[in-house]
Amino acid sequence: MRVHLINPSHLAFGVAVITPRWLYVLAAATPSEYGDPAIVDETLVQLDPDTVSPGDVVGIGIHSGNALRGYEVGRQVRDRGAKVIYGGIHATLYPNEALELGGAHAVVKGDGDRIWPAVIKACLDGNEQSIYEGGRVEGGSLLKARWDLLPSERYMWASVQTVRGCPKHCSFCSVWRTDGQKPRVRSSDAVIEEVVELRRKGFRFIALADDNFYPVAMSDLRMADRRADKSTLNNLLAIRAERFELMERLAKLPRDLVFFTQITMEAAEDPEFLKAMKKANIKGALVGVESVTPEGLKDVYKDFNFAGEELVTRLRAFREHGVHVLGSFIFGLPSDRPSTFEATAALAQRAEITFAQFVMLTPFPGTVDFQRWEEDMTKEGTLIAGIPITRHWLIPQGQRPKVYSPHPVMSADEIRFRTQAVWDEFYSLPNIWRRSSCTPNLRARMAFVLISKLYRQMYANTGIATDSARVSRAERWARLLAPPTRRLFAAPPMPDLQVPN
Ligand code: SF4
């Protein structure tokens, strides 16, 4: 009997940018009596079903984007006589769907870290339940990943989680509902040990793969301080202190280690935090800008963000502290107009952000937006390929719409073309080359150009284009660019590196 862990994907690039952390965490949760699990990340290469034998146990993690492929894999391995267990955000939201469509014997809702061994055992004993509640595991109990199982020369960046959960409540995001609004902070010991292990193996770039690396904003502290009962304030101050302690310890690691994380724009008002990030060599952060207009921010319940020139100042504050911004923008909001696209492109240049992604508004399950959209669309009863549009993740990939909500003034195609044009402009070679001047030497500059082009091919062309020729071209380009880009990110291993005191 063997345990298999599978990250499904309908596209495989041979080399991936970031390690899918959950695979290696669940590997750590797999009891040693079953041996090392076989790990398949289909963003590298697709599963060979012949590797699965009758009586094996197969764990499949799904989000809405890869659920359809996940169900296909599940049915395939069930037909081969394996026990099939689903987990992940999508399975948490729609456990019955995995049972009905994915050949599941069992589904785990919530975190798998603690419940996984019991589910495997029940499957092997033949007395599994259909649905398990994994709950939300406390920060101190979140497991270290089994990085010893990582295949060599396949990933550019490793990923380590330092905190789970986000206190905000953006309408397009499901994180605060699935991972909770209470930040669950891991101890700095656990984080540093993982980072050291990864640097020993030759990883120099590490994503701190958190829902929100800045879970306590200055405004949260001010609000808590106004209350007579100071327990919330003390709790928030303790979380903040733990963040600083972690950054202090990251700063003691070899200086060639570079970190990247995900953060809210509120951090721009906290120079002490930005200085600590700089000292810790956290050189990049994905910042959810979403919209450059106040109306757009209201559309997504993100009125703690800024718009216009104030937004430019905030984004520049990151850069002034040595933190490069990957700005994330959403197009297709009800308040967007044709002029919003140009205004966004211009602002992205003016604010000197280093990377950007321009996504089209998609109602993802588990979000407030989805709830409202589902109610409206259910009345209309639209079907695509025989599937209700309200279950869009089940529509075959090539037939999935790219724009889901009718827009008050623009057609779906207009939003798509304009979004594509903003990607083209931001990632034109002259613009990439100009931005690459922020790097210290020619090798770094080359890495910057390659990763920019790769990012564009992997995410824009495969995500926005509707014609299959363009998608396959992008896939081919990404396959070609990925191996040399990975080599530029690697560093000589440091097998003797020790955890600093
Ligand atoms: S988009 Fe970011 S800030 Fe908003 S709820 Fe999700 S994780 Fe939190």
Side-chain angles (χ1 to χ4, degrees), residues 138-139 163-167 179-185 212 215-216 235-236 239:
E138 279 308 315
V163 58
R164 198 176 284 178
C166 175
D179 282 352
Q181 288 184 286
K182 181 177 158 238
R184 290 174 280 150
V185 183
N212 179 1
V216 179
N235 186 24
L236 294 179
I239 296 174

Side-chain angles (χ1 to χ4, degrees), residues 166 168-170 172-173 175-176 211 264 302:
C166 175
K168 305 296 171 196
H169 55 267
C170 305
F172 57 87
C173 174
V175 157
W176 58 281
D211 297 326
T264 58
K302 205 152 184 172

